[in-house]
Amino acid sequence: MATSREEARRDDRAARRARAPYPAHWEADIALRDGGAAHVRPILPSDAEALQRFHVSQSEQSRYFRFFAPMPELSPRDLERFTVVDHHDRVALVVLQGDEIIAVGRFDRVDGDQAEVAFNVSDRYQGRGLGSVLLEHLAAAAREGGIRTFLAEVLPANHRMISVFSDAGFEVRRTYDDGVVLVEFGIDPTARSEAVRREREHRAEARAMARMLTPASVVVVGVSATRDAPGGRVLRALEASGYAGAVHVVARDAFEIGGRPAHARIQDVPGPVDLAVLALRAADCLDAIPACAEIGVTSLVITAEGFAEAGEDGAALQRRLVARARRHGMRVLGPAAFGFLRTGADPINVSLSPRLPRPGTTALAGQSSALAAMILASADARGVGVAEFVGSGNRADVSINDCLQRWEENDEVRLVGLALESMGNPRKFTRIARRVARTKPVVVLRPPGLTATAPPGHDVRATALPRRALDQVLASAGVVPTRSVDHLADVLEMLDREGIPAGARVGLIANNAALGATLRGAADSYGLDVADENRAVPLMEDARLLVRALTRMAAPGGVDVVVLALLDTGTADLADLVRRLAQVADGSAVGLVVCVVAEPGRYDALARAVRDDHALPPLHPTPALAVRAAAGAIAHVRRPVADDAEPVVREDVDDAAARAIIDAALADAGSAPVELDADDRAGLLACYGLTLLPARPVRDAAEAATAAAELGYPVALKSTDPVLRHRADLGGVRLGITGPQHLREAYDAMRTELAFSDAPLMVQAMAAPGVPVVLRSQEDPSLGPVVSFSLAGDATDLLGDIAYDIPPFTEAGAARLIARPASAVKLDGAGGLPAADRAALREVVVRVGLLAEDLPEVASLELYPVIVSSRGASIIDARIVVAEAPNRTDGARRALPGVAATSAAEPAEPPAGSAGRRGGARGRGRMSA
């Protein structure tokens, strides 16, 4: 009988495994510590042969560390047990390069929310960060199944694996028993584990960019004798740049190109080669990747078009291209890339630009070839010194986020200019940009438009938020916003020539009263702090008067930036005058920007002199352009101070209870969103320390009187109709009801006036008088959780006077969100009214941010209104909609962007379920790094 029961249990487990859906969302491409890439996915039964090859190739020591016993090979039973899993209680992930397994991680649930975890990393790939990234992916999968603690057994000599746990940022508990180190740790993210993850992400991505931008050898594939073909243009640019590394050429229609021998096939190129430029037809690029892998290529630049910008077939081809490249350990710039270049001691030009710009300390990046070429040309035309430039094209793999990761730690870069037509991971961008802006200005161009529609070829998630939401999020990260290519280039030139201003105080000088008035008007329109001005310098030939005026204004303790407008008299030596002015400004450590109004010939001659002499200040033809450039530099000084403090934590938060409420609400809803009822709303908010003002739904006047007696007068009477519940102007709200008679009259009147609505009424306690505001959070597909704040009322919605930011918040971040709307001045009191309690409101913002950050299932939350009195803040009403949790773009595991699932990338065996025996778990929890 016992045998029959055991067989029945085995059959039940086998059936459950056969029904288990393949978790395709666990698939991801990952960046390795050395800058390479690999693919991680759940294990499949068809992996048995590859798993055996992996096991046999390991050293005897690695096999012993993993299994605590010599195991030359895995038995058929072991192979079945290791490759047939249920993706819930038994989970295994494999890391692949090409078709070979290079690492395996797995866990087995042992007791409710605990699981034993094990790793095995290929000897050839140890030291490349595979253990730590596998741990992140296993922990993310385990949390989905309700597991909160990992257990492991490690031999004391296995120092590398012990370090994987201790260095991951989790609170690790270690004990020693019978010659084995027993490890136990919770897998919920902590502040330290998040910091560790982001630092490792930064280093891996910075290393990938360094490897791409500093190759020791290059092969250009697809060079044609046709002069204007992309391959030939890149080759000529590479040769003209003075690149010192080895250059190879692959061409099918020539034996030599420009005196260089041409190889007929990629495989014929003597390796190893670091970088390959593929100037081929779109379909041929895919076929070239395995051949590039044979000669050791680690980075690809793809100039070819015909991918995602060409439609859905092209988009599918692009996804396959990136997936195949990453599976072979390569990173990709493109497709449709303009390329990259670097000046300085080791120059290189792998781009469609025919020459290198002036060397300098500015880094530039753009996306589409057209915009990338425009920003490079505009910066070069102004004499801006460029250190590195990247044109990412469709940015299917390498993105501007990767560029920022490199430039953050690159001491040769002092200034960053970016043109962003789309953002695949805005949340990650703001996180990195905030860090970079602490040490160097980040100037960003987002081409103007009312929507966030991405250009063709850019694979991005749609956003439901208005454009101004992302603009505000970027501003909160400390970037300097610009609106056109010329605007971007002007601000870059100002910062490149004059450096970062010491402060925000501005001085204005003009040698003509009308010109001076125009200058002051421009300064006022840009909100500049004009600390000094001189609009009365005589218009005469003696240039010394202008020099004296600047000398006086630039005296210590005066101003930080001077905007000088000069009406040309037609006879002065303009270049000599500007040079003398520059010497004064430089000696006084004051930034200077000059506007000269002159006839075209004289202005152009001066512009050429300025371009060729980097010691001269920026030059502009109108006061408005000069002021705009100065305002851009000052915007970096005025940026929100990046919060070095950790986001606020509240110890009274009960996220487990909150998740239980959400899980119960979603249990019977399928995939449809669910609006929480009154009890669940109140319960969920209470888990985060947010209390709704007491209220009672009522069906008649008698119930209203009973509810009012329980709550205590005065009370409010409201409609529960979604349209009317906040609208006193439409008769949906009666406030300040002081007694039973007053309540009966109000009830009868509302029932008569609102006869068109059958929604029940509600009696609610009265809040203290104050300023009504609205707090909302929204789970956006692109940005993740976004919190918005505004004053209550139609006007703020109609005028768009709403502030947006990304949680979680520091105290300073919450204060900035509250202060951002123009109408927020009402919180300060006016006309003898007391100021509202900003501290209490800030606390509500912090807690809403924690809720939004912790619970991606909260699709939308609205606290409307919150009454902020002189002492405290009362939440009057709430609306909460929950839905299945989305896959956030900047989640708790490191993964490269793009679609990496098997079904969307490289073909593989369909992940059909397969029955198998669970068997004993020999070696569970034992591992080798």
Side-chain angles (χ1 to χ4, degrees):
M1 180 66 71
T3 301
S4 298
R5 284 199 298 269
E6 178 61 30
E7 289 175 351
R9 283 195 293 268
R10 284 202 302 268
D11 291 343
D12 179 67
R13 288 193 293 265
R16 181 153 51 87
R17 285 196 293 272
R19 294 191 303 268
Y22 178 78
H25 64 287
W26 291 352
E27 293 203 27
D29 292 330
I30 55 175
L32 304 183
R33 182 180 297 161
D34 63 353
H39 183 71
V40 60
R41 63 162 170 80
I43 203 163
L44 295 168
S46 58
D47 289 322
E49 185 178 341
L51 184 63
Q52 185 73 278
R53 289 198 302 272
F54 165 77
H55 178 84
V56 171
S57 68
Q58 290 289 77
S59 67
E60 183 177 344
Q61 182 188 59
S62 292
R63 291 196 295 265
Y64 189 82
F65 279 167
R66 169 62 179 90
F67 295 101
F68 293 13
M71 288 186 66
E73 64 179 27
L74 297 173
S75 68
R77 179 178 177 179
D78 285 333
L79 286 173
E80 181 183 23
R81 178 164 52 85
F82 290 150
T83 58
V84 179
V85 296
D86 62 14
H87 308 303
H88 186 264
D89 293 334
R90 299 184 65 241
V91 168
L93 302 177
V94 293
V95 181
L96 303 169
Q97 274 209 338
D99 295 323
E100 293 302 311
I101 294 174
I102 61 174
V104 184
R106 61 191 312 112
F107 67 78
D108 293 78
R109 191 188 302 263
V110 293
D111 181 21
D113 64 353
Q114 293 186 330
E116 294 190 47
V117 64
F119 295 91
N120 201 355
V121 177
S122 167
D123 293 333
R124 293 187 298 114
Y125 286 85
Q126 290 186 15
R128 296 177 66 179
L130 279 168
S132 63
V133 75
L134 255 181
L135 176 60
E136 290 173 16
H137 285 253
L138 279 174
R143 287 193 295 270
E144 284 187 25
I147 291 171
R148 289 293 178 266
T149 303
F150 273 171
L151 313 171
E153 297 178 1
V154 189
L155 289 173
N158 194 353
H159 305 293
R160 191 185 297 273
M161 183 49 64
I162 293 174
S163 296
V164 167
F165 297 130
S166 60
D167 295 344
F170 297 112
E171 295 295 329
V172 178
R173 296 175 295 279
R174 287 185 286 181
T175 58
Y176 188 77
D177 181 43
D178 195 22
V180 175
V181 179
L182 305 178
V183 178
E184 179 181 350
F185 56 96
I187 60 173
D188 285 331
T190 65
R192 182 166 172 261
S193 71
E194 284 295 286
V196 169
R197 178 179 66 82
R198 289 172 177 175
E199 175 61 21
R200 288 170 171 170
E201 171 193 74
H202 161 68
R203 293 193 179 281
E205 293 174 1
R207 177 58 185 152
M209 289 305 298
R211 190 161 72 164
M212 176 174 285
L213 300 183
T214 58
S217 53
V218 179
V219 59
V220 185
V221 182
V223 180
S224 169
T226 304
R227 182 165 182 81
D228 291 332
R233 291 172 61 188
V234 171
L235 179 61
R236 288 192 297 275
L238 183 62
E239 292 173 333
S241 70
Y243 173 63
V247 178
H248 307 280
V249 176
V250 174
R252 292 183 178 179
D253 58 354
F255 292 104
E256 62 88 20
I257 298 288
R260 292 184 180 276
H263 301 277
R265 303 184 311 151
I266 296 172
Q267 297 93 320
D268 297 335
V269 174
V273 177
D274 296 330
L275 174 72
V277 181
L278 301 185
L280 303 167
R281 293 184 309 140
D284 293 336
C285 290
L286 195 68
D287 296 333
I289 289 174
C292 287
E294 288 186 31
I295 61 171
V297 169
T298 58
S299 303
L300 297 173
V301 174
I302 299 179
T303 61
E305 298 182 346
F307 288 92
E309 76 280 0
E312 185 50 43
D313 289 345
L317 183 64
Q318 179 170 297
R319 289 191 291 269
R320 291 180 61 204
L321 171 84
V322 173
R324 181 172 292 184
R326 289 172 175 171
R327 284 280 286 269
H328 283 89
M330 304 176 196
R331 300 298 303 273
V332 179
L333 183 68
F338 191 78
F340 71 85
L341 56 83
R342 193 181 71 254
T343 64
D346 299 304
I348 184 173
N349 186 358
V350 184
S351 79
L352 299 176
S353 175
R355 63 179 182 83
L356 290 175
R358 176 184 175 277
T361 58
T362 299
L364 297 174
Q367 293 171 339
S368 71
S369 291
L371 191 56
M374 289 168 65
I375 65 170
L376 181 61
S378 296
D380 191 37
R382 289 162 174 78
V384 174
V386 176
E388 291 183 346
F389 162 82
V390 176
S392 62
N394 292 358
R395 56 146 191 74
D397 180 19
V398 168
S399 71
I400 286 178
N401 286 346
D402 297 285
C403 297
L404 280 178
Q405 298 279 36
R406 167 170 168 79
W407 293 334
E408 178 186 0
E409 62 181 23
N410 188 343
D411 294 336
E412 296 176 358
V413 172
R414 294 192 302 107
L415 171 63
V416 176
L418 309 173
L420 299 176
E421 293 165 273
S422 71
M423 300 177 71
N425 191 342
R427 186 178 175 88
K428 180 177 178 179
F429 173 85
T430 57
R431 170 166 57 83
I432 301 171
R434 180 178 289 109
R435 233 175 33 228
V436 177
R438 293 176 183 174
T439 57
K440 54 194 76 175
V442 179
V443 187
V444 173
L445 164 63
R446 292 189 68 226
L450 296 177
T451 66
T453 303
H458 290 214
D459 185 11
V460 298
R461 298 185 181 191
T463 178
L465 295 167
R467 178 190 170 95
R468 65 179 179 274
L470 183 53
D471 287 340
Q472 289 185 21
V473 167
L474 291 178
S476 70
V479 306
V480 178
T482 61
R483 301 286 288 178
S484 68
V485 171
D486 285 336
H487 188 185
L488 172 72
D490 286 346
V491 175
L492 290 174
E493 181 190 19
M494 179 72 188
L495 288 163
D496 183 51
R497 289 178 179 270
E498 299 298 297
I500 301 171
R505 299 166 301 176
V506 176
L508 305 177
I509 298 177
N511 71 340
N512 174 271
L515 193 60
T518 304
L519 196 63
R520 178 58 192 252
D524 290 343
S525 69
Y526 279 97
L528 297 183
D529 174 18
V530 179
D532 196 358
E533 60 182 320
N534 185 344
R535 298 189 242 165
V537 179
L539 181 63
M540 56 191 299
E541 297 305 317
D542 192 349
R544 290 177 297 179
L545 296 176
L546 273 173
V547 175
R548 289 172 185 168
L550 177 60
T551 301
R552 184 195 63 78
M553 189 174 286
V559 299
D560 304 299
V561 176
V562 175
V563 185
L564 190 150
L566 171 65
L567 180 63
D568 181 26
T569 61
T571 58
D573 184 339
L574 293 177
D576 179 67
L577 173 58
V578 171
R579 191 169 288 108
R580 291 166 63 188
L581 293 169
Q583 290 171 350
V584 172
D586 185 56
S588 304
V590 168
L592 176 65
V593 56
V594 175
C595 159
V596 173
V597 180
E599 63 89 14
R602 283 175 61 80
Y603 183 87
D604 291 345
L606 178 60
R608 286 193 295 272
V610 169
R611 186 197 182 283
D612 294 338
D613 187 351
H614 201 253
L616 297 181
L619 175 70
H620 298 278
T622 68
L625 292 178
V627 169
R628 186 180 71 173
I634 291 170
H636 174 71
V637 178
R638 285 177 163 178
R639 76 193 188 284
V641 177
D643 294 317
D644 292 326
E646 293 292 335
V648 175
V649 175
R650 293 292 182 257
E651 298 298 336
D652 59 346
V653 165
D654 190 348
D655 59 337
R659 191 166 297 282
I661 293 172
I662 291 173
D663 290 345
L666 292 174
D668 300 323
S671 59
V674 177
E675 182 172 352
L676 298 186
D677 60 27
D679 290 340
D680 283 347
R681 285 197 302 272
L684 184 63
L685 292 174
C687 291
Y688 280 82
L690 299 167
T691 304
L692 279 170
L693 203 63
R696 306 283 190 273
V698 295
R699 290 173 293 181
D700 53 38
E703 286 191 2
T706 301
E710 293 176 357
L711 296 173
Y713 289 97
V715 295
L717 187 64
K718 301 179 177 182
S719 172
T720 57
D721 187 295
V723 176
L724 300 171
R725 60 183 181 173
H726 306 308
R727 301 296 299 271
D729 56 330
L730 299 179
V733 180
R734 300 290 178 96
L735 301 175
I737 298 172
T738 56
Q741 180 62 31
H742 190 181
L743 178 61
R744 283 193 294 271
E745 292 172 357
Y747 189 94
D748 292 342
M750 287 183 68
R751 273 300 174 213
T752 300
E753 295 170 7
L754 304 179
F756 58 87
S757 172
D758 59 359
L761 302 185
M762 177 176 67
V763 175
Q764 189 169 35
M766 281 288 293
V771 180
V773 302
V774 184
L775 270 168
R776 297 183 176 96
S777 77
Q778 179 174 337
E779 184 71 29
D780 185 71
S782 177
L783 283 165
V786 178
V787 173
S788 65
F789 168 76
S790 66
L791 269 68
D794 289 344
T796 53
D797 287 332
L798 293 172
L799 296 175
D801 190 25
I802 304 171
Y804 300 86
D805 210 341
I806 293 176
F809 297 110
T810 62
E811 296 284 1
R816 284 197 300 269
L817 180 70
I818 294 167
R820 190 173 293 142
S823 53
V825 295
K826 287 187 67 176
L827 296 170
D828 296 327
L833 295 176
D837 189 345
R838 284 180 180 256
L841 177 57
R842 195 163 58 241
E843 182 67 13
V844 177
V845 170
V846 164
R847 290 179 178 275
V848 168
L850 290 171
L851 187 153
E853 176 73 9
D854 290 348
L855 305 173
E857 296 89 351
V858 176
S860 64
L861 176 149
E862 179 183 75
L863 305 184
Y864 187 173
V866 178
I867 305 298
V868 190
S869 67
S870 59
R871 292 187 179 181
S874 302
I875 304 172
I876 308 303
D877 199 4
R879 181 174 183 268
I880 302 175
V881 176
V882 297
E884 290 184 356
N887 184 19
R888 288 179 173 172
T889 56
D890 195 27
R893 58 174 192 161
R894 281 174 282 164
L896 295 173
V899 179
T902 298
S903 58
E906 292 290 89
E909 176 186 331
S914 177
R917 293 177 296 174
R918 180 164 183 155
R922 181 176 56 173
R924 284 188 305 173
R926 302 173 181 179
M927 53 205 68
S928 168

